[in-house]
Amino acid sequence: MRRVLFIGPMLLALAFAGAHCSSSTTSGGGGDAGGGSDSGADSSTADSGGGTDSSSDAPAIVNGCGTADFADHTAASDARAITFPGDSELPAQYAPPCIKIKVGQSVTWNGGFTAHPIEPAGGDTNTPILATSGVTTKSFAFPNAGTFGFECANHPLSMKGAVFVVP
């Protein structure tokens, strides 16, 4: 009983301190040792499903592809092809997973779409990438600038990438 009386005031003091701290988090700064949320924190972190920032040439991070990750295939003579495993059920990353092209260019995927069907995933919503299965080659033309994500429908955690289309 004596122990309960000792802890009781301590809990009351902690409850008061917690209430006091949680009411002062509207400034958006500082640490919150109480585990509460800070509406001003982490608002600039990149998301995996976001689109491009129309005010700059830098894309948002889509499916792990950031500005430095995109293989530049904007030259007219570039092949602009992405390869992946054939009919094997084992997942393997697309090569290259992140590709940069110009508006009006196409990208061709080569691999086993039966075991690794492609689907749009993340990025801008006006994607020309359509869900595809049962073939070994498929091309998509990109008429608009943006960042368009894709993934293997059977292996979305290990097979994903993005096409960054610039004007």
Side-chain angles (χ1 to χ4, degrees):
M1 191 75 161
R2 186 176 206 175
R3 190 173 187 169
V4 172
L5 291 176
F6 180 72
I7 293 175
M10 225 171 144
L11 288 176
L12 182 60
L14 288 174
F16 175 77
H20 176 71
C21 289
S22 65
S23 66
S24 65
T25 59
T26 57
S27 66
D32 184 8
S37 64
D38 183 357
S39 62
D42 297 325
S43 62
S44 64
T45 58
D47 64 16
S48 64
T52 59
D53 179 358
S54 60
S55 64
S56 72
D57 192 34
I61 295 176
V62 175
N63 293 339
C65 299
T67 304
D69 301 313
F70 288 96
D72 190 347
H73 288 268
T74 56
S77 61
D78 281 353
R80 294 181 308 280
I82 297 174
T83 59
F84 59 99
D87 292 330
S88 170
E89 291 293 328
L90 298 175
Q93 184 56 282
Y94 295 98
C98 313
I99 188 169
K100 178 179 174 181
I101 65 169
K102 286 186 179 181
V103 167
Q105 292 180 325
S106 296
V107 174
T108 301
W109 279 259
N110 297 306
F113 284 91
T114 300
H116 306 288
I118 193 172
E119 64 185 7
D124 292 317
T125 57
N126 59 343
T127 182
I129 301 170
L130 302 175
T132 304
S133 64
V135 297
T136 56
T137 298
K138 181 66 178 178
S139 294
F140 296 105
F142 291 83
N144 300 313
T147 305
F148 306 99
F150 58 90
E151 67 186 12
C152 171
N154 293 338
H155 309 103
L157 297 178
S158 59
M159 293 181 69
K160 58 188 173 183
V163 178
F164 177 38
V165 185
V166 297

